[in-house]
């Protein structure tokens, strides 16, 4: 209930996407409850108008976790078990939609250059990808073209995407491994559960022997990092006109799963999509109160330079995603008492001021913080900022409403969107409850954090 009510059963809706100057790897997915984790997700590639990097062939590698039961049932089941006795059928890794235990073959020809697009479209598992014996050069992250960076492998949290260039070898004497590892970064290693290994094959010649390599420690390898990656199109670090502090908070009820949030309340859907409230509430649309406390709205002024400081004093990292735009990753550091919990202290890192990395999904480390900057140059945008795991369904989100008066002057809402709201029984105007002014009668109480 951020920009629409959703598509009613048996209904339809046509999404018109103006890609503008965007290009790269994205994915389309549902945002109601946990439906994304049950298959409502797909890769989305926007090709460059003019190819900026030379390569001979494009290869797509989608990675996802898949439960043996609906995600809601799985969560209920996990309430009853401890982390050291999680069921062995907890999650399976899928590679291009197929059980990762079924080895797939990727065909390579000698001396050709391959662009491999890798994305993690799963819910809560991270993935690592390596091709021993080959070099990878990252050329894109989350739709942002980067200066080539040589790496030994990729590490992808949910929602993250990379493109790499891989140069095929000169000889077809051997075939090679395409090693995929799925792991839960919120658990210590549990034999048979996490990590899980899904070896695939780079095939140069059918029947050739596999070239074996000794296992190396991850610490000895080079992985892409937001403070070593650099956008190809340079942009200086913006100053901050406004600093918004978001602290990851919990509310633990007596029974059931915890509620999460980034502000004073756990995010929850309201009765009127936030975009429609911004359109129909006139001058009051500039007041976050009219959207309802559970909508966790922050109103931005047009063209102000915004810094989001997101803090996490808990022992689980979170892939934080911002809709509608990319942001600059300007700083990462420690927060909370990691040592007391026996955890690694996050080192302080500050981005290069002349060209910090830009992307749309960044990992908020356990017992750490991140600082993100962007210019509010999308007047009328209504964008959710959220953890890209099941924590979104538990309320770990805020909504940015950008220059709502500009939205009121320029926006045209498709009739089909309004029809879908009516078909689902939701109002199409008014505050978060569908009423006028500050009358929020009809909304359930917000979960205060």
């Amino acid at each position: 209930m951020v920009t629409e009510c959703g598509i009613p059963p048996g209904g339809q809706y046509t999404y018109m996407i103006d890609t503008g100057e965007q290009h790269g790897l994205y994915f389309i997915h549902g945002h109601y409850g946990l439906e994304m984790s049950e298959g409502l997700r797909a890769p989305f590639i926007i090709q460059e108008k003019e190819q900026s990097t030379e390569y001979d062939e494009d290869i797509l590698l989608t990675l996802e976790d898949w439960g043996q039961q609906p995600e809601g049932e799985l969560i209920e089941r996990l309430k009853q078990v401890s982390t050291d006795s999680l069921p062995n059928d907890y999650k399976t890794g899928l590679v291009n939609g197929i059980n990762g235990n079924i080895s797939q073959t990727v065909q390579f020809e000698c001396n050709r250059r391959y662009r491999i697009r890798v994305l993690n479209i799963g819910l809560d598992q991270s993935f690592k990808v390596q091709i021993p014996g080959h070099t990878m050069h990252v050329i894109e992250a989350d739709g942002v073209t980067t200066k080539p960076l040589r790496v030994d492998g990729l590490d992808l949290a949910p929602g993250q995407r990379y493109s790499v260039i891989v140069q095929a070898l000169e000889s077809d004497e051997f075939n090679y491994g395409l090693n995929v590892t799925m792991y839960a970064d919120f658990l210590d290693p549990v034999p048979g559960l996490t990590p899980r290994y899904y070896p695939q094959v780079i095939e140069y010649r059918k029947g050739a022997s596999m070239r074996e390599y000794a296992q190396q420690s991850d610490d000895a390898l080079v992985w892409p990092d937001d403070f070593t990656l650099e956008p190809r199109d340079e942009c200086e670090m913006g100053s901050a006109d406004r600093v918004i502090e978001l602290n990851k908070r919990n509310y633990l009820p007596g029974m059931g799963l915890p509620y999460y949030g980034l502000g004073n309340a756990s995010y929850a859907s309201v009765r009127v999509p936030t975009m429609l409230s911004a359109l129909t509430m006139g001058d009051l649309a500039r007041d976050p109160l009219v959207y309802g406390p559970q909508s966790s709205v922050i109103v931005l002024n047009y063209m102000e330079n915004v810094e989001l400081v997101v803090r996490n004093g808990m022992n689980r990292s979170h892939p934080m995603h911002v809709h509608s735009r990319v942001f600059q990753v300007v700083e990462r550091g420690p927060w909370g008492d990691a040592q007391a919990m026996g955890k690694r202290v996050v080192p302080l890192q500050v981005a290069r001021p002349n060209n910090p990395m830009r992307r749309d999904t960044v990992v908020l480390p356990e017992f750490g913080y991140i600082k993100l900057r962007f210019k509010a140059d999308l007047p009328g945008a209504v964008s959710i900022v959220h953890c890209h795991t099941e924590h979104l369904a538990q309320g770990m989100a805020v909504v940015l409403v950008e220059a709502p008066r500009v939205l009121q002057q320029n926006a045209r809402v498709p009739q089909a969107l309004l029809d879908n709201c009516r078909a689902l029984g939701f109002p199409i105007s008014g505050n978060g409850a569908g009423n006028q002014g500050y009358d929020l009668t009809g909304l359930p109480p917000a979960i205060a954090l």
Side-chain angles (χ1 to χ4, degrees):
M1 296 292 283
V2 177
T3 57
E4 59 174 303
C5 297
I7 303 172
Q12 64 179 15
Y13 187 73
T14 300
Y15 293 89
M16 303 296 292
I17 302 172
D18 181 1
T19 59
E21 297 302 314
Q22 286 182 287
H23 53 81
L25 182 57
Y26 302 86
F27 78 106
I28 299 171
H29 52 283
H31 256 299
Y32 180 78
L34 296 168
E35 64 187 359
M36 184 197 80
S37 69
E38 296 175 5
L40 192 57
R41 52 194 181 191
F44 181 58
I45 297 173
I46 305 174
Q47 298 285 1
E48 289 182 287
K49 294 175 182 177
E50 295 183 6
Q51 188 170 305
S52 61
T53 303
E54 294 298 323
Y55 55 90
D56 300 303
E57 189 174 336
D58 214 323
I59 295 172
L60 180 64
L61 193 66
T62 63
L63 308 171
E64 56 193 304
D65 48 19
W66 187 257
Q68 305 301 313
Q69 58 192 130
E71 199 71 33
E73 293 180 16
L74 176 61
I75 288 176
E76 290 299 319
R77 182 181 180 189
L78 293 183
K79 293 179 191 176
Q80 312 303 322
V81 298
S82 62
T83 55
D84 60 357
S85 62
L86 288 171
N88 286 332
D89 63 349
Y90 168 54
K91 286 286 180 75
T92 298
L94 305 186
V95 179
N96 285 343
I98 297 174
N99 189 320
N101 293 303
I102 301 172
S103 183
Q104 299 177 60
T105 297
V106 177
Q107 297 291 334
F108 266 28
E109 293 183 26
C110 294
N111 298 314
R112 288 173 67 83
R113 282 167 61 87
Y114 294 88
R115 178 175 186 159
I116 304 180
R117 304 179 193 257
V118 189
L119 68 164
N120 181 354
I121 62 174
L123 181 69
D124 61 15
Q125 303 288 297
S126 294
F127 285 88
K128 292 181 178 179
V129 178
Q130 296 171 264
I131 309 178
H134 297 69
T135 58
M136 292 181 179
H137 285 87
V138 177
I139 62 166
E140 179 221 341
D142 297 354
V144 175
T145 301
T146 66
K147 298 178 181 180
L149 177 69
R150 187 189 183 283
V151 297
D152 296 314
L154 300 175
D155 190 357
L156 301 97
Q160 291 189 314
R161 298 94 62 201
Y162 288 104
S163 286
V164 294
I165 295 294
V166 179
Q167 176 67 54
L169 305 179
E170 295 181 351
S171 170
D172 65 356
E173 180 180 1
F174 295 103
N175 295 329
Y176 294 80
L178 171 58
N179 299 333
V180 176
T181 302
M182 183 180 80
Y183 70 99
D185 75 344
F186 50 91
L187 293 177
D188 292 329
V190 180
L193 174 66
T194 180
R196 291 187 173 184
Y197 303 99
Y198 301 109
Q200 314 298 301
V201 176
I202 298 291
E203 184 178 86
Y204 281 88
R205 179 168 54 85
K206 192 172 182 62
S209 300
M210 289 291 295
R211 180 71 183 268
E212 301 294 338
Y213 289 85
Q215 183 77 23
Q216 288 185 277
S217 166
D218 284 354
D219 292 337
L221 302 175
V222 177
W223 306 88
D225 183 82
D226 295 322
F227 295 89
T228 55
L229 287 167
E230 190 173 357
R232 181 195 62 190
D233 299 331
E234 296 190 1
C235 180
E236 291 186 357
M237 184 186 299
S239 60
D241 302 324
R242 179 181 179 186
V243 176
I244 298 172
E245 298 184 353
L246 303 175
N247 295 327
K248 191 262 183 179
R249 295 187 172 112
N250 297 352
Y251 168 69
L252 302 175
M255 296 290 291
L257 291 175
Y259 292 94
Y260 295 140
L262 293 171
N264 295 324
S266 181
Y267 174 81
S269 291
V270 288
R271 286 188 48 75
V272 177
T274 300
M275 183 186 72
L276 296 184
S277 289
L279 270 169
T280 60
M281 287 300 293
D283 283 338
L284 287 181
R286 291 183 284 194
D287 188 343
L289 294 177
V290 304
Y291 300 96
Q294 53 272 88
S295 66
S296 299
V297 161
I298 299 168
V299 177
L300 304 180
N301 299 315
Y302 183 45
M303 297 301 288
E304 67 180 345
N305 294 311
V306 178
E307 177 175 281
L308 298 180
V309 182
V310 192
R311 302 187 182 98
N312 175 29
M314 308 299 289
N315 60 343
R316 177 173 176 176
S317 64
H318 303 273
M320 298 304 302
H321 176 58
V322 179
H323 284 213
S324 304
R325 60 161 37 87
V326 295
F327 46 74
Q328 294 179 325
V329 185
V330 301
E331 189 171 308
R332 177 173 64 203
W335 179 260
D337 197 349
Q339 288 182 323
M341 298 293 292
K343 298 292 185 178
R344 181 181 71 95
V345 176
V346 177
L348 175 64
Q349 293 176 283
V350 179
R352 63 185 74 80
N354 62 315
N355 194 27
M357 184 56 195
R358 303 188 299 273
R359 62 186 314 164
D360 63 29
T361 306
V362 64
V363 174
L364 172 63
E366 57 181 352
F367 297 106
Y369 72 87
I370 50 175
K371 291 184 179 181
L372 315 174
R373 287 186 190 168
F374 60 88
K375 182 181 286 291
D377 56 1
L378 299 174
V382 178
S383 313
I384 191 168
V385 180
H386 66 92
C387 174
H388 220 299
T389 72
E390 74 280 4
H391 291 163
L392 170 58
Q394 294 169 258
M396 192 172 171
V398 295
V399 176
L400 306 179
V401 176
E402 233 167 291
R405 292 295 280 168
V406 179
L407 175 70
Q408 294 168 12
Q409 295 165 12
N410 299 312
R412 296 179 181 177
V413 180
Q415 186 61 44
L417 187 151
L418 302 177
D419 292 342
N420 283 344
C421 286
R422 291 190 179 99
L424 289 165
F426 292 115
I428 60 171
S429 64
N431 60 28
N435 304 323
Q436 294 302 307
Y438 295 97
D439 176 12
L440 296 173
T441 303
L443 285 183
I447 304 297
L449 301 175

